[in-house]
Amino acid sequence: TQSYASTALLSADAKQALDARVAAFDRNMNRGNMQVIFDYLPPKMLQEMRQLAEREDVNPEVLQIIMGSMLQGIARELKMTGRHDMSQALVGTTGSGTPYVLVPGAARVTAGAETMTTQGVSLALLDGGQWYLLGLSDQEVLTNLRRTYPEFGGVALPVKQK
């Protein structure tokens, strides 16, 4: 992997687009606008969710509305703030040469009088010319990523340990 600041693996336009995408995600999270989280998830992973819903005889659009409403409800109960740190991001490539970016970040979650701070890493990946973000929160996320994006099968990615 290479430093995001000095990498030649991404064009200036690709970096500018990613910077804007990450900043927009952080703004939405800090404003409690959790319904838009689906706009940032990799499309093949969303498609898999829709297919699973259809197999279970659930309308995928209804499922997305329900999940979005649940996230909004959580956002009302919890105050979440955080940001990604692009200055510490690392750029790598998959075996097929597709670039990706690992972006560290921190979030503070407050529920009533309790506050918890957590640190993690988000994977930024390109799909159809657009950047998408995926929090590498556990092994299940990594398994789903590698099933829907097989090019990440041989890539060592950090996963938060529980």
Side-chain angles (χ1 to χ4, degrees):
T1 56
Q2 301 177 6
S3 160
Y4 181 72
S6 63
T7 188
L9 295 172
L10 298 174
S11 69
D13 287 346
K15 288 172 77 171
Q16 184 177 12
L18 178 57
D19 290 342
R21 188 82 164 148
V22 168
F25 177 87
D26 288 350
R27 270 192 312 277
N28 279 307
M29 184 178 72
N30 290 327
R31 291 177 181 158
N33 189 7
M34 299 305 289
Q35 279 185 298
V36 301
I37 193 110
F38 296 106
D39 296 341
Y40 296 92
L41 292 176
K44 290 179 185 175
M45 294 183 83
L46 280 177
Q47 182 61 33
E48 185 175 79
M49 261 181 22
R50 287 186 189 102
Q51 290 170 348
L52 177 61
E54 288 171 357
R55 280 195 302 272
E56 298 299 321
D57 208 23
V58 176
N59 182 311
E61 286 73 30
V62 171
L63 178 65
Q64 189 165 336
I65 290 167
I66 290 169
M67 290 177 69
S69 295
M70 286 172 48
L71 288 171
Q72 280 304 113
I74 290 169
R76 281 191 290 277
E77 301 294 321
L78 303 175
K79 172 139 177 67
M80 292 177 50
T81 57
R83 70 181 278 282
H84 288 88
D85 186 355
M86 295 303 291
S87 72
Q88 299 299 310
L90 297 173
V91 180
T93 57
T94 65
S96 64
T98 304
Y100 64 88
V101 182
L102 297 172
V103 188
R108 174 174 285 146
V109 180
T110 303
E114 299 290 320
T115 298
M116 180 182 86
T117 300
T118 182
Q119 296 188 6
V121 175
S122 292
L123 170 68
L125 64 86
L126 276 169
D127 188 325
Q130 173 78 38
W131 286 105
Y132 294 93
L133 302 173
L134 180 66
L136 298 176
S137 56
D138 58 39
Q139 190 60 47
E140 185 178 353
V141 169
L142 195 55
T143 299
N144 290 337
L145 168 71
R146 289 181 169 150
R147 184 174 50 250
T148 54
Y149 290 88
E151 61 268 34
F152 284 95
V155 176
L157 295 170
V159 175
K160 188 190 294 188
Q161 301 300 313
K162 295 194 178 204

